[in-house]
Structures are given as structure tokens and as C-alpha cells.
Amino acid sequence: MKSVELVGYLAAAVTVATFWMRTMIPLRVAGIGSNLAWIAYGLLAGVYPPLFLHLFVLPLNVVRLRQMIELVRQVRAASAGDPEMNWLKPFMSARRAWAGEVLFHKGAAADHLLYTVSGRFRLRESGIELAAGQVVGELALLAPDQRRTQTLECVEDGRLLTISYEQLKQLFVQNPAFGFYFLRLTTARLFQNLARAEAEVERLQASIKAGASSVTGASELPRR
């Protein structure tokens, strides 16, 4: 068997191996190996269709591999500190929002999350205002009924980035590490919301106690 044929069989074997990969990073690595093997075979055997095909596909595999590795690196870094999700931006689509526009209503079915790029937005029920650089709408992905818990409205014209829950699920499947760190970040957001709610309850309780004390003090004043 000629060495050229051996290279061809190697290329075929590596291509078959790519179909066994269950996650995206190993698949891209195997794909790059397959591209290189087919390019070598095309050059040695003088077979140009597979040569040109894999010369075209090779840079695509390299770019996608780098994107996924960078995504996992940024998610890992974000999970250790910054609760915002800037690392999702390359996978998101842009849209405009206008003052007075309602982006979603409380109780509506949820199918995407949003990232604020510019402008001002407000969660109507809680009164929380969102400036640029904040994520909203991610928690409904984990809710049993996937429904919005608040109404989001645009206060000042701005731009948003959006990504569907379906796209997020695909990223989870492609790389389990992404799903793990995303869950850590959304859990951190849940704890932030819980802490905010507890602080509000304590404030209301203190206000009620102060009101009760003033009423008691007034009732104890001597009558004339």
C-alpha cells in the first residue's frame, strides 16, 4: 500500500471520528485534524476537489474552536466575579428600543433574554431601572413555566442585544462547561434578588415598628 493511500485512509478515519464526538470543542479539534489530513492527501495524490474543500473548511473550524474556547474562558472568569454576561455578546442579535415600548409583559411566555447596550429600561413591578451593560430575562429560562415575572419597559431610546433560549440550549449541548457556569451565574442573580427582597422586607418592618412606636407614644400623652 502506497503512503499516499495511507494518508487517505487516515483522513477517512479521522473524519469518522468526528461523528463520535458529543461536545463541540472535541468535535472542532477532530474536524481540524480531518481537514489537515485531507489537505495532505489532496496534495500528495493530486486530487483537487477534497483539497479545495478542506482548505475552505479548515479556517472555519479554527475560528469556531477559538470562539468556543474563548466563551468558556470568559464564562469561567465571569463566574468568579462579574455577574454580567458580556461573554454572550458575540452570539446575540442587535435590536432597537424606543421610549414607552414594552419589551415584555409580566406573565407572558418567555423565549429569550436581553442585554442592554444603551438607553434606560425599567422593570415596572419592582421599579428597578436598568442602565447599559445589564442582562434581563434570563431567569425565566429556569422557571418551570418559563413565564416573565415582571414587565420590562423602555424609558429612554436605546439598543439591545438578544439571544433566544433555544440558542442558549444549543450552547449548553455543545459545551457542558458553558451550561455549568451559566447556571452558576443565574443562581448568583437569584441570590441577589433574594437579598434585595429581604432588605426591602426589613425596611418595611422597621417602618411599621417606627409607626407603631409613634402611635403608642401619642396615646400615652397625658390628657388635659
Side-chain angles (χ1 to χ4, degrees), residues 41-196:
Y41 174 73
L43 288 171
L44 293 172
V47 181
Y48 297 107
L51 172 62
F52 291 129
L53 171 64
H54 289 277
L55 280 174
F56 176 76
V57 175
L58 175 60
L60 294 179
N61 273 327
V62 171
V63 168
R64 295 304 183 193
L65 176 61
R66 289 185 60 185
Q67 285 180 338
M68 189 57 63
I69 291 174
E70 180 65 13
L71 173 67
V72 173
R73 185 193 67 78
Q74 291 181 347
V75 175
R76 186 179 292 116
S79 69
D82 182 10
E84 306 307 334
M85 301 181 187
N86 299 312
W87 34 270
L88 271 180
K89 291 164 71 173
F91 298 87
M92 304 177 86
S93 302
R95 61 155 294 181
R96 295 283 303 178
W98 311 102
E101 179 183 354
V102 175
L103 283 305
F104 53 75
H105 291 273
K106 180 180 180 179
D111 62 359
H112 65 282
L113 64 82
L114 300 165
Y115 180 95
T116 60
V117 178
S118 62
R120 289 194 302 120
F121 303 85
R122 180 171 57 234
L123 293 168
R124 184 180 293 171
E125 287 75 17
S126 65
I128 296 174
E129 288 211 0
L130 305 174
Q134 292 185 277
V135 173
V136 61
E138 80 282 6
L139 295 180
L141 174 62
L142 305 178
D145 57 358
Q146 283 198 352
R147 293 193 174 273
R148 302 296 188 189
T149 58
Q150 296 197 61
T151 299
L152 178 67
E153 57 187 358
C154 180
V155 178
E156 180 183 290
D157 294 356
R159 290 194 311 114
L160 296 152
L161 296 176
T162 178
I163 184 170
S164 70
Y165 289 165
E166 189 61 36
Q167 288 174 289
L168 286 173
K169 291 174 184 177
Q170 291 175 15
L171 289 173
F172 295 165
V173 172
Q174 291 172 4
N175 196 294
F178 170 84
F180 173 73
Y181 289 111
F182 181 85
L183 287 175
R184 285 189 62 180
L185 289 170
T186 50
T187 302
R189 185 63 60 88
L190 284 171
F191 279 113
Q192 289 174 1
N193 292 344
L194 179 61
R196 186 182 295 112

